[in-house]
Amino acid sequence: MAEPRISSIDGKLAEEFAAPAHVKEVKDKMAAFAQRHAEAGRCVVLITSGGTKVPLESRTVRFLDNFSSGRRGASSAEYFLDSGYAVIFLHRHRSLYPYTRMFSTVNMLDTLQFSASDSGEVVVNQQVLPNIAKVLKRYREVTNGQLLLPVDFSTLSEYLHLLKAAAQALSTIGSKAMFYLAAAVSDFYIPASEMPEHKIQSSNGPLQLTMNMVPKILSPLVKDWAPQAFVISFKLETDATILLEKARRALDTYRHQAVVANVLDSRRGYVVVVTPSTQDEVVLSKEEMKNEVEIEERIVTNLTAAHAQFITQQAG
Ligand code: 9Z3
């Protein structure tokens, strides 16, 4: 068997980004999860979600963050589960989470009340938690079926190492694996060797930072770590005029299967799914937005169909 390729990014990852202590344990868990579900005939999607945090000091007081609520990833996870996928949810610690996302702004104590019996028993006030019974039922089905494996990260280093581990763990199930890379990942970081240990002092005057470019992890993921998988990246811009060109450039560079392109302000109602040969606009009407239809449902329908076709082609 051919030796796995070692890319220069592997070296950089090892040297400049501290690996989390539990990476091996998590990798084994993800590999066992993928294997079990593939044997049961299921596809497995690895969803990344939320923003990465980049520390400015090694004993971190300050950090740079990427914007993302985690809603795209969390709601997509639910639609993938509804489509029969098993889901590894690699998410920013405390960002929105499947099912609980619907109640994330509710104060927990406001959802509870003493029962009428005066026994001190506490019950849920269903008026404050609309649909709770329905959501709880689905959540229990998913957890009892062990269909959702959550893994969390906070820093960019954790994210990079855990994504690499996930890619290698899922490589054993070949084209049944999908990567849905919706996390908002920093393009810049300060290497460990150049990071001050202690809190940067404001008494030293204005702060000037030089940050390095984060290695493009998509490249070894597609080429080396999970070469048979179906890979989707997300492209976020604030300027709509450059969005599609950037999405096409990403496809040309990394040679993966699709880019979901979106603009920050319109991301809840409009995205474009770009593949080497197609360009599908996914749009919600005003009426659909009002009725709380979620665009992730349409994105997932589009991509699961493309994934099924991809699996058939790979097998043929
Ligand atoms: C996205 O574009 C996601 O759709 C959002 C979702 C982060 C906009 P929310 O979590 O928002 O629902 O609030 N993710 C990818 C963002 C990104 O940083 N992409 C990079 C790029 O565009 C790397 S592929 O260059």
Side-chain angles (χ1 to χ4, degrees):
M1 209 170 115
E3 284 285 304
R5 266 171 48 118
I6 308 276
S7 72
S8 62
I9 292 178
D10 281 285
K12 209 168 210 158
L13 248 187
E15 277 163 34
E16 296 190 6
F17 298 90
H22 65 311
V23 67
K24 170 79 174 65
E25 186 192 323
V26 177
K27 183 176 173 180
D28 292 346
K29 240 189 217 172
M30 293 190 286
F33 180 89
Q35 203 62 50
R36 177 160 47 84
H37 286 297
E39 275 163 20
R42 272 182 213 104
C43 290
V44 179
V45 60
L46 181 286
I47 297 177
T48 69
S49 183
T52 60
K53 172 168 147 178
V54 170
L56 304 189
E57 302 124 340
S58 49
R59 300 186 193 218
T60 311
V61 175
R62 303 188 186 88
F63 56 85
L64 197 83
D65 212 340
N66 264 62
F67 168 80
S68 165
S69 66
R71 178 167 153 187
R72 176 83 84 219
S75 73
S76 301
E78 294 170 20
Y79 293 113
F80 275 114
L81 288 160
D82 290 347
S83 310
Y85 278 63
V87 175
I88 301 178
F89 189 59
L90 179 58
H91 65 288
R92 167 72 177 272
H93 185 62
R94 296 209 169 130
S95 62
L96 291 183
Y97 193 84
Y99 307 107
T100 62
R101 73 187 170 100
M102 321 215 184
F103 313 110
S104 65
T105 55
V106 183
N107 177 336
M108 202 254 289
L109 292 180
D110 290 336
T111 68
L112 305 174
Q113 60 193 27
F114 289 108
S115 73
S117 68
D118 214 19
S119 62
E121 193 191 9
V122 173
V123 293
V124 169
N125 178 349
Q126 296 209 29
Q127 262 150 21
V128 188
L129 297 177
N131 291 329
I132 185 70
K134 189 172 150 226
V135 176
L136 179 63
K137 183 166 176 282
R138 184 66 188 130
Y139 178 71
R140 287 278 173 261
E141 284 166 2
V142 164
T143 49
N144 291 344
Q146 299 182 21
L147 292 161
L148 175 63
L149 177 64
V151 178
D152 68 4
F153 64 84
S154 290
T155 64
L156 172 70
S157 295
E158 288 166 357
Y159 167 85
L160 294 173
H161 281 282
L162 290 168
L163 180 59
K164 176 180 174 182
Q168 292 176 329
L170 265 65
S171 66
T172 56
I173 65 164
S175 62
K176 274 180 172 286
M178 185 197 292
F179 289 81
Y180 184 87
L181 306 173
V185 182
S186 180
D187 283 323
F188 311 104
Y189 76 108
I190 301 179
S193 57
E194 286 166 37
M195 204 185 290
E197 179 184 354
H198 291 287
K199 182 182 166 218
I200 300 166
Q201 294 299 314
S202 61
S203 53
N204 293 342
L207 177 63
Q208 285 203 344
L209 287 174
T210 306
M211 302 183 85
N212 288 13
M213 295 298 297
V214 172
K216 298 291 182 195
I217 194 100
L218 200 51
S219 176
L221 190 152
V222 172
K223 279 208 289 248
D224 309 325
W225 301 336
Q228 294 173 305
F230 187 74
V231 180
I232 298 123
S233 69
F234 279 67
K235 176 58 68 189
L236 174 65
E237 294 297 339
T238 51
D239 177 356
T241 62
I242 60 169
L243 182 67
L244 290 178
E245 179 204 323
K246 296 290 285 283
R248 288 248 159 253
R249 199 181 307 162
L251 273 184
D252 283 349
T253 308
Y254 303 110
R255 312 243 149 228
H256 55 310
Q257 283 66 42
V259 175
V260 178
N262 57 175
V263 172
L264 189 63
D265 293 340
S266 58
R267 71 191 189 284
R268 302 276 174 244
Y270 179 79
V271 307
V272 187
V273 180
V274 185
T275 75
S277 55
T278 61
Q279 195 161 297
D280 294 343
E281 289 193 333
V282 182
V283 195
L284 292 184
S285 65
K286 280 211 178 88
E287 191 63 19
E288 286 170 328
M289 299 273 277
K290 209 178 82 202
N291 293 332
E292 297 182 358
V293 174
E294 293 186 306
I295 197 163
E296 287 76 15
E297 183 173 6
R298 308 270 164 90
I299 301 174
V300 169
T301 301
N302 181 307
L303 293 173
T304 50
H307 187 202
Q309 218 177 12
F310 176 81
I311 293 172
T312 312
Q313 279 163 3
Q314 301 295 304

